[in-house]
Amino acid sequence: MARKKPIVIVTRKLPDVIETRMMELFDTRLNDDDHPMTREELVEAVKAADILVPTLTDRIDKGILAQAGENLRLIANFGTGVDHIDLAAARERGITVTNTPGVLTEDTADMTLALILDVIRRVSEGARLIRSGEWSGWSPTHMLGHRLWGKRLGIVGMGRIGSAVARRAKGFGLSIHYHNRRQLPEYVEQELDATYWESLDQMLARMDIISVNCPHTPATFHLLSARRLKLLKKTAVIVNTSRGEVIDEQALTRMLRGGEIAGAGLDVFEHEPAVNPKLLNLGNVVLLPHMGSATIEGRVDMGEKVLINIKTFVDGHKPPDRVIDTLL
Ligand code: DGY
């Protein structure tokens, strides 16, 4: 007799090819209208599912997990960041958590460079001026930005994405500096021409551009605190394509308004989808709606990873992208 297919509940709309394959393989419940699930809907989902496929818009906290049915055994997150899932609570209940690392690296690094270029060369500001109809023509002193070539870039978090940012940045003539929990092997540092700073404080004080590329964990919450932001040069620019929570957004906003930091490129925010209204009118700030990894190819690759993690788990093996052991 055929084995019963596991119930897989997917909380948001995924690419069609992924949803179709998921329907073929499992007893899958989709979210056709793509609405972010309410807390009540999430509770219903964890009660009914054998496997939950959430995204970063679902807060899977201790309270939700406490109501999960005995049958919930796997949370196969569609995304790399897992700061919206209480990993310790999942582990206590014997629930495996997987994510989708590696397939977003290049897209997120591209967006990081796009933000750096945009802020330093005032690309969005120029585009806004054209559309306003108020451009009165070229002048030698109009819309001056800064030369990227030769500036110092400090990367906070030199994992896959940080390293991909470094490779690109080197091509733009930036000198690469980084702070990381662990120093990279010498051959990687040589390849990237990268200088390691054990002290984040010391690195921050010397850089022209800071790029935040570390994950949000309890240890990195407000890593760029008000105190640390004050260490930055007045001419420095900060770019974040990781998680809003890594920077104290209130302090950053205050400093941008007061001219204590020259500019910022932010793809992520502390209380998404809310954005501090005081950021909205600042000319020296480029704001994007968390789209660092938003490519069609990337989303399909993420879905493939989710499928592989679920299928491996269902077949009785250890899924390749287990996070629970690496992040706790
Ligand atoms: C992730 O996978 O964590 C990304 O932030 C999604 O864009």
Side-chain angles (χ1 to χ4, degrees):
M1 204 174 75
R3 243 190 330 161
K4 217 168 132 273
K5 288 180 177 178
I7 298 175
V8 176
I9 300 188
V10 185
T11 66
R12 300 298 297 265
K13 175 101 189 75
L14 303 185
D16 277 349
V17 280
I18 301 301
E19 290 191 342
T20 306
R21 188 67 187 131
M22 221 173 254
M23 293 293 284
E24 287 168 358
L25 290 170
F26 316 115
D27 178 357
T28 304
R29 322 274 158 92
L30 300 172
N31 176 355
D32 278 336
D33 67 11
D34 194 32
H35 69 280
M37 281 194 176
T38 62
R39 196 169 173 82
E40 291 67 38
E41 286 174 305
L42 274 178
V43 168
E44 287 314 307
V46 294
K47 279 183 179 163
D50 296 313
I51 293 156
L52 184 73
V53 180
T55 72
L56 62 90
T57 55
D58 306 302
R59 190 138 299 283
I60 316 285
D61 58 24
K62 207 177 173 134
I64 298 253
L65 287 172
Q67 300 181 67
E70 281 301 307
N71 43 325
L72 181 67
R73 284 281 147 262
L74 174 66
I75 297 177
N77 188 55
F78 183 86
T80 304
V82 284
D83 51 332
H84 54 291
I85 302 172
D86 188 328
L87 296 177
R91 184 164 66 170
E92 255 170 46
R93 294 185 67 90
I95 299 170
T96 301
V97 178
T98 59
N99 67 344
T100 61
V103 292
L104 313 177
T105 306
E106 305 304 332
D107 300 323
T108 309
D110 285 345
M111 195 58 95
T112 306
L113 262 294
L115 280 173
I116 292 174
L117 283 162
D118 193 331
V119 178
I120 297 276
R121 295 301 308 275
R122 306 175 65 181
V123 176
S124 291
E125 264 186 275
R128 278 197 298 275
L129 179 67
I130 289 275
R131 283 177 189 263
S132 74
E134 288 181 6
W135 182 40
S136 54
W138 188 87
S139 109
T141 54
H142 184 231
M143 288 297 300
L144 302 184
H146 287 279
R147 177 181 297 152
L148 200 54
W149 190 269
K151 295 284 185 296
R152 292 200 168 91
L153 169 67
I155 299 175
V156 180
M158 197 69 149
R160 289 190 188 89
I161 296 175
S163 303
V165 169
R167 279 199 306 279
R168 285 161 174 73
K170 208 181 151 198
F172 280 94
L174 286 159
S175 79
I176 310 299
H177 298 250
Y178 74 100
H179 168 79
N180 200 40
R181 276 181 307 173
R182 275 182 297 274
Q183 185 166 3
L184 298 180
E186 205 178 322
Y187 76 94
V188 183
E189 283 190 345
Q190 274 172 10
E191 184 202 322
L192 298 172
D193 253 331
T195 303
Y196 176 60
W197 293 83
E198 193 177 345
S199 160
L200 175 59
D201 287 10
Q202 287 187 13
M203 181 179 88
L204 291 175
R206 291 165 167 87
M207 297 297 118
D208 301 304
I209 302 160
I210 293 293
S211 175
V212 177
N213 296 108
C214 59
H216 169 221
T217 66
T220 63
F221 175 76
H222 282 193
L223 183 66
L224 295 189
S225 58
R227 179 190 70 76
R228 285 211 169 103
L229 290 171
K230 282 198 191 333
L231 299 173
L232 292 174
K233 296 199 278 189
K234 247 183 135 169
T235 50
V237 156
I238 188 161
V239 163
N240 188 2
T241 51
S242 166
R243 282 293 184 270
E245 288 91 335
V246 179
I247 305 181
D248 180 340
E249 194 173 289
Q250 288 266 19
L252 176 67
T253 307
R254 239 184 357 256
M255 290 180 67
L256 285 163
R257 280 161 60 90
E260 294 171 75
I261 299 178
L266 306 175
D267 183 45
V268 288
F269 303 89
E270 215 178 316
H271 306 287
E272 288 180 20
V275 176
N276 187 329
K278 291 185 179 143
L279 283 172
L280 297 177
N281 298 322
L282 296 177
N284 55 346
V285 173
V286 177
L287 306 172
L288 295 178
H290 198 148
M291 53 191 273
S293 67
T295 67
I296 292 167
E297 295 85 347
R299 294 288 183 253
V300 171
D301 289 349
M302 288 163 80
E304 280 293 329
K305 278 210 162 249
V306 170
L307 285 167
I308 290 165
N309 282 318
I310 300 178
K311 185 79 175 80
T312 316
F313 184 83
V314 168
D315 289 346
H317 306 288
K318 286 184 175 170
D321 303 309
R322 298 184 309 284
V323 288
I324 207 126
D325 300 326
T326 51
L327 281 183
L328 278 176

